[in-house]
């Protein structure tokens, strides 16, 4: 278990991501599905986590399990 706001590090070590808000796990999914969560709270977090190039561009550096 790694607890961090650093998505760059997270994607190097994690297969799954839990998104916690106000002490509750709102989402628990693989790192590629995480980017597709249609929740303004998650999307704002992603936008602010990796501003240069955006999260989706960063995510492309990591192969999905389908690749």
């Amino acid at each position: 278990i790694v607890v961090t706001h650093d998505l760059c590090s997270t994607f190097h070590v994690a297969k799954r991501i839990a998104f916690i808000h106000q002490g509750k796990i709102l989402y628990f999914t693989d790192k590629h599905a995480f980017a597709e969560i249609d929740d303004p709270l998650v999307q704002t977090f992603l936008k602010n986590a990796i501003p240069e190039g955006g999260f989706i561009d960063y995510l492309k550096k990591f192969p999905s399990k389908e690749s």
Side-chain angles (χ1 to χ4, degrees), residues 11-64:
F11 271 75
H12 286 286
V13 299
K15 291 182 181 177
R16 299 184 61 79
I17 294 175
F19 185 81
I20 302 169
H21 181 65
Q22 296 182 341
K24 295 184 180 182
I25 296 174
L26 299 182
Y27 301 99
F28 183 64
T29 186
D30 71 75
K31 58 189 173 186
H32 293 275
F34 183 70
E36 311 225 353
I37 295 172
D38 187 24
D39 180 326
L41 193 62
V42 173
Q43 292 303 314
T44 298
F45 174 75
L46 294 176
K47 180 181 175 189
N48 293 325
I50 304 175
E52 58 287 327
F55 180 74
I56 299 302
D57 288 342
Y58 183 77
L59 181 63
K60 291 175 185 174
K61 297 178 182 181
F62 299 91
S64 68

